[in-house]
Amino acid sequence: MKNDLLIRAARGEPVERTPVWMMRQAGRYLPEYRAIRADTDFLTLCKTPELAVEVSLQPYRIIGVDAVIMFSDILIPVEAMGQEVRLTEQKGPELPDPIRTRDQVDRLIVPDPIEKTGFVMDIIRTLRQELNGAVPLIGFAGAPWTLAAYMIEGGGSRNYANVKRMMFTEPTTFHALLDKISDAIILYLNAQIEAGAQVIQLFDSWAGELSREDYEQFALPYEQKIFASINHSAAPAILFINGCGNFLEKMATSGADVLSIDWRIDLRDARARVGPQLTLQGNLDPCVLLSTPEIITEKARELIRAGGGHRHILNLGHGILPMTPVENARAFIEAAKTVLE
Ligand code: CP3
């Protein structure tokens, strides 16, 4: 591979410089993405390998990121499990028939990832061919708690009242759902690795909404089960949680090789809390990219220094915002690429 900085950083091997990419790097802040979306709805884009490959490659070609993440969505396997998913322009994801009963949990299937989501594996295979070893390819999935939240709420949520109601009043049903999602995600991620994903990221984006105790009961065991069941020698694994500061030490026991952390924790404090054995990814506030290239460069360099040039992958603390100017995103990427002392 020509540029394997991300894989070496994930494994704790020496790197010439800190690698950089951005969560949600393929998306609406790029005019080239919006041009394709102008005549293709979101789910069709996810299911049309030729177009999904094109938008996955856009951030590599346009701003020069050190890794490509396949274009898809965490809700794709939810649809494959048998629950209807819509993505609406205004409101984001909508699941019109939310899971509320044991019966609905039992009716969900654990899909064969090739049969039901073969288009994802086609995207991965084609991306590997197109990249031809230029930079690593990242595959991903949503984690059980975060997916269950969408499946039970029926979409995004402010206070997670429905999912938490089930969690507290019907823990057995809730665990049955989390178990089923875990089984589906293990098959799905291993199929991605088999197809050629070189790094895997598990998005437990909303686990930060849980107390430490509930995180240990309802999210961590399923993250652990997933990381114990995927092939780390073929693909190092990253775990992202937005708002993980309350239980970072617990997150460090998930089995992930890399912890992707949000901006509310200081990177040096995070390192002190997890010890030297894991790689950290992050953690610039995505809103910093709304400032100026000069400010972005300075703050990115501060983070690179805080990361110490070892076991650190520069990234945002959550996804890039759609209103981010492209030249600001580029300044962030360039900051990692220009040598510092
Ligand atoms: O990172 C990448 O560039 C790869 C693509 C990617 C998307 N979604 C594309 C997308 C990835 C890795 C995701 C993951 C995802 N999807 C997460 C976890 C990451 C996170 O942000 O916490 C979550 C929670 C979702 C669910 C989801 N999908 C939401 C909440 C939304 C609507 C909000 C929004 O940003 O529009 C989506 C739609 C979505 N997924 C878009 C993109 C580019 C926008 C769709 C459009 O083009 O209109």
Side-chain angles (χ1 to χ4, degrees), residues 68-333:
V68 163
I69 182 163
M70 66 158 181
F71 187 81
S72 189
D73 196 82
I74 60 166
L75 296 172
I76 291 291
V78 170
E79 192 181 45
M81 290 179 78
Q83 187 174 4
E84 189 186 339
V85 174
R86 296 182 193 149
L87 276 140
T88 54
E89 208 66 35
Q90 303 309 324
K91 292 201 284 181
E94 259 193 307
L95 297 82
D97 190 14
I99 306 287
R100 299 289 160 84
T101 65
R102 177 68 199 225
D103 204 46
Q104 284 173 296
V105 173
D106 291 341
R107 278 201 306 263
L108 292 167
I109 63 160
V110 174
D112 176 336
I114 310 288
E115 188 190 314
K116 297 281 185 191
T117 50
F119 53 89
V120 172
M121 314 314 147
D122 290 341
I123 292 166
I124 291 172
R125 270 189 295 271
T126 312
L127 278 170
R128 281 295 301 274
Q129 280 164 12
E130 293 276 322
L131 283 168
N132 194 22
V135 291
L137 175 63
I138 304 172
F140 69 87
W145 199 88
T146 292
L147 291 181
Y150 279 104
M151 293 165 85
I152 294 168
E153 294 295 335
S157 180
R158 220 167 54 87
N159 51 20
Y160 299 87
N162 293 294
V163 59
K164 288 185 177 178
R165 184 196 291 122
M166 187 194 282
M167 182 171 99
F168 293 125
T169 56
E170 292 177 70
T172 313
T173 300
F174 192 54
H175 278 298
L177 175 60
L178 294 167
D179 250 322
K180 210 166 208 178
I181 299 170
S182 304
D183 291 344
I185 294 303
I186 288 165
L187 294 175
Y188 185 62
L189 286 176
N190 278 325
Q192 290 184 29
I193 294 170
E194 184 107 336
Q198 291 156 299
V199 178
I200 284 297
Q201 179 153 330
L202 189 67
F203 285 95
D204 216 347
S205 304
W206 310 131
E209 297 292 329
L210 294 169
S211 71
R212 187 179 326 179
E213 196 187 326
D214 294 330
Y215 171 72
E216 281 184 74
Q217 213 175 330
F218 297 104
L220 179 63
Y222 299 96
E223 296 165 356
Q224 287 171 332
K225 185 175 174 188
I226 291 169
F227 290 126
S229 310
I230 66 170
N231 184 355
H232 291 254
S233 57
I238 308 171
L239 173 61
F240 169 68
I241 298 178
N242 186 22
C244 57
N246 187 37
F247 44 67
L248 188 64
E249 293 81 358
K250 297 290 170 195
M251 185 183 176
T253 69
S254 64
D257 305 287
V258 181
L259 306 185
S260 190
I261 62 174
D262 63 279
W263 62 94
R264 301 169 191 87
I265 332 170
D266 179 83
L267 185 60
R268 287 190 173 92
D269 291 349
R271 173 55 72 203
R273 286 172 63 187
V274 304
Q277 296 303 327
L278 294 172
T279 294
L280 293 172
Q281 174 171 278
N283 63 344
L284 193 72
D285 186 334
C287 291
V288 171
L289 296 201
L290 306 178
S291 67
T292 66
E294 293 71 30
I295 294 168
I296 293 161
T297 305
E298 193 189 311
K299 291 200 180 286
R301 288 188 168 166
E302 264 170 42
L303 260 184
I304 290 167
R305 275 193 294 274
H310 179 65
R311 279 201 179 277
H312 179 218
I313 298 165
L314 184 65
N315 203 317
L316 305 174
H318 199 179
I320 185 170
L321 296 164
M323 62 284 228
T324 304
V326 176
E327 66 267 28
N328 289 6
R330 189 178 287 116
F332 178 64
I333 302 303

Side-chain angles (χ1 to χ4, degrees), residues 13-25:
E13 295 165 12
V15 288
E16 302 78 63
R17 64 169 174 83
T18 301
V20 60
W21 69 286
M22 298 181 298
M23 286 188 271
R24 294 286 191 100
Q25 66 188 12

